């Protein structure tokens, strides 16, 4: 239990930390990786380089400090991060190391302003915050161990299928011959790879893109053309070098962007580009279970050439009694214009959404940040309640406002 004095110090110094949060976390990661380079086998190097992880950590530390006397308010956010930690195999032994380097960074950045009282109060507060994460994560590890496995496990690629000019699917089977475990549509797995010539392992999360209950997992990966080297590194390596019979390592499914069972609500699955992957899992699950819910599947892509799963989506939609599909192409190509396989040209906008949605329904959104930000704004303008809007962010879940 923290003393009133500690709580008071932490709360009153939290704004200072917020102001200089990114500086502190940047400093923190630099010295952490200098002394513990092996942690680079866990962290995403591209997120580090672009400051995304620093911002995510700084925001969370600030929020935790602000709510230090009522941490239960943060539980939904903690759970989301804990899913990510569990899927990356972050362990309770890592927490004291992170705590030590975080305190050191606070001391170094704030200098004389960080009195011994302040440092002591933050040290105590960190332990309380860390314990919340450790407890939530322990439960997740126990559950994963019971239902699937709790660390990394080798999988063999048994099929590799091109879904569009940019997206390719990998069908994966456990090497040890065990069954593929159940998961909730919308969840992701972490893929761990060793890339020749690179010193550290690479971890990336990919949504499972097919319904549960199959003999294999399916992930569907977009080739990145224009990104800085490390951002597309794993995806492009999978495209270029991972083939049938190759092995990659996976952690058990994780994540809380999942299809909920609000039976009487229309379900809207709204995606842009490769954001279609968790939507395929949700749609195919609804199709496999012959759901009689109203379902609206909205997908925005540049054109038919990069539009993945077009046939598969149609098949699932047609097999459902109350489902419709709405495809929007930014710049349809000649073939699209000939086939008229889309309902609108340009971007998904508020006027269009107004025509397509049931405002009392549930909304699942996944796609590029700008796409999600716009769609969420339009839905809120149209009167959709925030609690009915669910979205998945690919990358550290920094607040959408930070973009
Ligand atoms: C991701 C906070 C401890 C390793 C994250 C994210 C946040 C966060 C906000 C982004 C979540 C997302 O992507 O959705 C915290 C807090 C901690 C803590 C507040 C302490 C109380 C740790 C520890 C480790 C760790 C002890 C292990 C050494 C990671 C990794 C990621 C991550 C590897 C994924 C992002 C990346 O690879 O760039 N954490 N974390 N974290 N955390 Fe933590």
């Amino acid at each position: 239990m923290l003393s009133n004095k500690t709580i008071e110090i932490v709360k009153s110094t939290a704004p200072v930390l917020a102001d200089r949060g990114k500086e502190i976390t940047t400093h923190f990661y630099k010295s952490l990786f200098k002394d513990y380079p092996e942690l680079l086998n866990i962290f995403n190097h591209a997120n580090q380089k672009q400051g995304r992880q620093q911002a995510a950590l700084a925001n969370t530390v600030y929020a935790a400090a602000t709510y230090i006397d009522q941490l239960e308010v943060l539980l939904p956010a903690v759970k989301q991060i804990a899913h990510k930690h569990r899927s990356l195999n972050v362990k309770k032994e890592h927490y004291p190391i992170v705590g030590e380097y975080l305190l050191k960074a606070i001391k170094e950045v704030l200098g004389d302003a960080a009195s011994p009282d302040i440092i002591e109060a933050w040290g105590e507060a960190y332990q309380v915050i860390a314990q919340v994460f450790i407890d939530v994560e322990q439960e997740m590890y126990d559950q994963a161990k019971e239902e699937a496995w709790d660390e990394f496990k080798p999988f063999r690629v048994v099929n590799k299928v091109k879904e569009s000019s940019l997206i390719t699917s990998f069908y994966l089977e456990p090497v040890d011959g065990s069954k593929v475990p159940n998961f909730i549509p919308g969840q992701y797995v972490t893929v761990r790879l060793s890339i020749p010539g690179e010193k550290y392992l690479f971890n990336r999360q990919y949504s499972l893109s097919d319904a549960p209950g199959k003999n294999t997992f399916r992930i569907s990966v977009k080739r990145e053309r224009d990104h800085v080297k490390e951002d597309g590194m794993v995806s492009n390596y999978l495209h270029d070098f991972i083939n049938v019979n190759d092995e990659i390592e996976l952690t058990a499914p994780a994540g809380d962007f999942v299809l909920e069972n609000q039976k009487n609500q229309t379900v809207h699955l709204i995606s842009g580009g490769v954001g279609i992957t968790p939507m395929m899992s949700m749609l195919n699950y609804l199709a496999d279970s012959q759901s009689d819910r109203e379902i609206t599947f909205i997908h925005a892509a540049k054109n038919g050439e990069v539009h993945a799963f077009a046939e598969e989506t149609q098949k699932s939609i047609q097999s459902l009694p109350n489902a419709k599909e709405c495809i929007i192409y930014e710049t349809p190509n000649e073939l699209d214009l000939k086939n008229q396989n889309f309902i609108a040209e340009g971007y998904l906008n508020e006027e269009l959404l107004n025509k397509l949605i049931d405002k009392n329904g549930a909304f699942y959104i996944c796609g590029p940040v700008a796409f999600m930000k716009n769609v969420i704004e339009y839905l809120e303008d149209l009167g959709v309640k925030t609690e009915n809007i669910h979205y998945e962010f690919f990358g550290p879940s920094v607040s959408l406002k930070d973009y």
Side-chain angles (χ1 to χ4, degrees):
M1 238 327 244
L2 295 174
S3 69
N4 286 342
K5 186 176 164 223
T6 302
I7 291 173
E8 198 188 304
I9 296 178
V10 168
K11 282 191 155 192
S12 64
T13 48
V16 185
L17 254 86
D19 272 354
R20 307 198 56 186
K22 220 166 155 189
E23 219 179 314
I24 293 170
T25 47
T26 304
H27 203 86
F28 153 78
Y29 280 117
K30 222 167 141 189
S31 45
L32 179 72
F33 295 141
K34 187 165 158 270
D35 292 352
Y36 288 91
E38 65 276 20
L39 288 178
L40 286 165
N41 288 316
I42 308 184
F43 281 88
N44 176 332
H45 320 167
N47 287 344
Q48 288 296 323
K49 281 206 178 133
Q50 293 173 29
R52 291 185 297 229
Q53 184 56 27
Q54 288 84 329
L57 180 63
N59 287 349
T60 312
V61 171
Y62 173 63
T66 312
Y67 292 100
I68 189 70
D69 49 351
Q70 39 172 333
L71 284 174
E72 62 284 358
V73 174
L74 297 177
L75 260 187
V78 169
K79 281 200 175 142
Q80 191 193 13
I81 300 165
H83 271 287
K84 186 66 82 61
H85 282 163
R86 203 284 290 146
S87 100
L88 279 157
N89 222 7
V90 169
K91 288 290 169 67
K92 62 173 185 274
E93 339 30 303
H94 291 130
Y95 280 85
I97 305 173
V98 162
E100 182 190 336
Y101 282 76
L102 203 53
L103 280 190
K104 259 200 215 163
I106 294 176
K107 250 195 251 174
E108 276 162 36
V109 172
L110 298 189
D112 290 345
S115 68
D117 273 4
I118 293 180
I119 293 298
E120 199 183 311
W122 273 90
E124 284 174 34
Y126 175 81
Q127 279 186 30
V128 172
I129 297 164
Q131 199 56 49
V132 175
F133 278 89
I134 291 170
D135 291 345
V136 172
E137 284 160 22
Q138 190 55 51
E139 254 179 60
M140 290 179 177
Y141 278 111
D142 291 346
Q143 196 186 348
K145 195 167 183 177
E146 203 182 303
E147 294 170 8
W149 64 98
D150 61 347
E151 296 206 352
F152 281 92
K153 178 162 153 161
F155 274 68
R156 185 174 297 115
V157 178
V158 291
N159 203 0
K160 183 175 175 182
V161 177
K162 202 170 159 125
E163 309 287 1
S164 75
S165 63
L166 288 179
I167 297 178
T168 290
S169 287
F170 296 81
Y171 288 76
L172 306 161
E173 195 177 79
V175 171
D176 65 7
S178 61
K179 269 182 76 175
V180 165
N182 199 15
F183 63 93
I184 315 174
Q187 288 194 303
Y188 57 79
V189 289
T190 291
V191 169
R192 183 165 76 177
L193 273 185
S194 158
I195 298 186
E198 294 291 330
K199 200 163 165 196
Y200 299 106
L201 297 170
F202 283 77
N203 297 275
R204 288 294 185 279
Q205 285 74 42
Y206 293 101
S207 298
L208 292 164
S209 62
D210 201 355
K214 311 271 149 114
N215 293 331
T216 51
F217 277 151
R218 181 176 73 179
I219 57 168
S220 305
V221 178
K222 181 181 167 219
R223 177 186 284 288
E224 299 292 344
R225 278 187 186 138
D226 309 321
H227 279 68
V228 290
K229 188 179 161 235
E230 296 218 352
D231 237 1
M233 193 143 176
V234 175
S235 295
N236 292 356
Y237 187 81
L238 285 164
H239 271 256
D240 295 336
F241 297 105
I242 297 293
N243 294 306
V244 171
N245 280 333
D246 286 338
E247 288 180 19
I248 56 177
E249 291 182 301
L250 300 191
T251 49
D256 58 0
F257 173 68
V258 291
L259 189 64
E260 285 166 16
N261 234 350
Q262 316 99 320
K263 282 217 164 17
N264 45 6
Q265 261 184 320
T266 304
V267 55
H268 303 81
L269 306 176
I270 307 180
S271 59
V274 71
I276 196 169
T277 51
M279 303 306 167
M280 290 312 297
S281 180
M282 296 186 191
L283 178 69
N284 289 349
Y285 166 77
L286 291 163
D288 285 355
S289 50
Q290 273 303 292
S291 169
D292 58 1
R293 285 174 75 173
E294 296 283 339
I295 298 160
T296 302
F297 186 94
I298 303 175
H299 181 61
K302 196 163 173 59
N303 55 41
E305 196 194 323
V306 295
H307 174 186
F309 303 111
E311 273 178 35
E312 186 176 316
T313 326
Q314 260 182 18
K315 212 169 133 207
S316 290
I317 297 276
Q318 280 163 8
S319 75
L320 283 157
N322 297 310
K324 66 172 188 234
E325 182 184 36
C326 317
I327 302 298
I328 296 112
Y329 287 147
E330 189 186 323
T331 42
N333 58 28
E334 259 178 54
L335 195 63
D336 301 327
L337 291 167
K338 191 171 145 225
N339 293 340
Q340 284 299 307
N341 49 355
F342 56 100
I343 61 146
E345 188 173 335
Y347 292 110
L348 177 58
N349 57 33
E350 190 168 328
E351 196 189 334
L352 196 53
L353 274 171
N354 195 23
K355 287 190 204 144
L356 301 176
I357 63 163
D358 160 9
K359 290 166 196 164
N360 296 316
F363 294 80
Y364 295 87
I365 308 158
C366 189
V369 182
F371 170 86
M372 290 200 304
K373 204 173 164 177
N374 289 338
V375 170
I376 292 167
E377 252 172 52
Y378 301 147
L379 293 177
E380 285 175 347
D381 270 1
L382 292 169
V384 174
K385 289 199 191 113
T386 314
E387 69 258 30
N388 287 333
I389 302 177
H390 313 270
Y391 59 89
E392 175 83 313
F393 186 87
F394 289 154
S397 31
V398 189
S399 156
L400 283 177
K401 293 189 189 72
D402 293 342
Y403 277 80

